[in-house]
Amino acid sequence: MRRGRGPASASSTTSSSSALFGGESATSSPALDTRIPDLLKELHQLIQQTQEERARSEHNLTNIQKTHERIQYEQKGKSKGTSTAVSPYFKSKLRGLYSTAKADAEVEADLLRKCLDKIAQIKAIRNERRIAAKSAGIFMEQEPPRKTMRRGVLMTLLQQSAMTLPLWIGKPGESPPPLCGAVQAGSDYVAKPGDKVAARVKGPDGDEQWILAEVVSFNTGTNKYEVDDIDSEEGKERHTLSRRRVIPLPQWKANPETDPEALFHKDTLVLALYPQTTCFYRALIHAPPTRPQDDYSVLFEDTSYADGYSPPLTVAQRYVVSCKESKKR
């Protein structure tokens, strides 16, 4: 394993594969082969319906704008001392227009949620195929077993995995589910094969460290996971770990604008993936995301700095998890 923090380690080689990050890597049964094309057709139809619904609602939005402009025009024409209150006619008209706009928006939102569901189903099937192929030792030509690649390629794959993490979009009043942002999974949750986790393992020198890993299996008899180090040749660094040594990574991004409670707040102690490495380190939240596309700003514990913390560094929601340890003194 090569996991240094500095620039020197960032240019070293490592072992991994794009298949680790959701890529499809094997042939599969005809049933699975037909499911994805069918889902893609359904997704295309939903997208078309969404576009049609949006185009249809544009006429109503234009009427709202024109009504407001007419109200402003009439109010400007009134002489001084006369009432500028909106007339009952325009109040009634705007009430009807806004009610229609609200209904149109709800229809469009429902279609978009259905689109997201289809995308999630497609990703789940692709992951099933990858896991099944991995177990059988079958790989497609374009995605062979993990091979040596430059660290920059692995870092790019990690970044892509973070960027493509779906944003949770719930219905009004619906709470974010477990593994959305900072929302932890229940104590009885078991990560599935292929899921990415933070895993506490012993390094070559005997020191323990939190690494980015992929779940291989979970043994209900022993209550232990088998996980593969994401930064090693496939199967070469497999660890058997108890549940308390495995933390599932978020499966959805939390939206700061609608679900700020699903984010870690300022000064919260977390484990965060240090940039350009595959290791998690203790850090304090310096600033949570303010927009859906934003990352966390974190302060890593680092004794080389006078105050014991690094300057602020950005880490994606995908790679920030709760730390149950206490803050350092």
Side-chain angles (χ1 to χ4, degrees), residues 175-318:
S175 299
L179 298 182
C180 173
V183 182
Q184 298 182 50
S187 58
D188 59 345
Y189 177 81
V190 175
K192 300 183 295 295
D195 284 357
K196 306 303 181 295
V197 297
R200 190 171 187 175
V201 303
K202 283 189 177 181
D205 53 2
D207 291 339
E208 293 195 336
Q209 56 186 341
W210 286 95
I211 66 167
L212 179 60
E214 181 182 270
V215 173
V216 177
S217 64
F218 179 76
N219 188 319
T220 55
T222 61
N223 211 31
K224 289 186 177 182
Y225 284 102
E226 277 200 338
V227 302
D228 276 348
D229 182 353
I230 212 81
D231 196 11
S232 68
E233 189 175 345
E234 187 161 359
K236 288 294 181 66
E237 289 201 30
R238 182 162 293 180
H239 305 272
T240 301
L241 304 170
S242 62
R243 291 174 70 165
R244 63 185 177 85
R245 288 178 168 266
V246 173
I247 303 175
L249 297 191
Q251 295 182 359
W252 294 276
K253 285 187 285 188
N255 188 340
E257 297 170 353
T258 57
D259 303 299
E261 74 282 1
L263 292 166
F264 292 109
H265 301 300
K266 180 177 173 62
D267 294 329
T268 302
L269 180 66
V270 297
L271 290 172
L273 195 72
Y274 197 92
Q276 300 302 309
T277 78
T278 56
C279 278
F280 291 83
Y281 296 94
R282 289 158 53 102
L284 291 180
I285 298 296
H286 179 249
T290 56
R291 299 175 300 171
Q293 67 269 31
D294 291 344
D295 297 331
Y296 283 102
S297 174
V298 305
L299 308 173
F300 284 98
E301 291 185 358
D302 196 328
T303 56
S304 63
Y305 292 92
D307 62 356
Y309 292 97
S310 70
L313 295 171
T314 58
V315 181
Q317 284 195 48
R318 172 70 160 163

Side-chain angles (χ1 to χ4, degrees), residues 79-97:
S79 59
K80 288 184 180 180
T82 59
S83 174
T84 58
V86 179
S87 70
Y89 166 76
F90 282 122
K91 283 183 179 180
S92 177
K93 183 175 182 179
L94 284 174
R95 192 177 294 113
L97 289 171

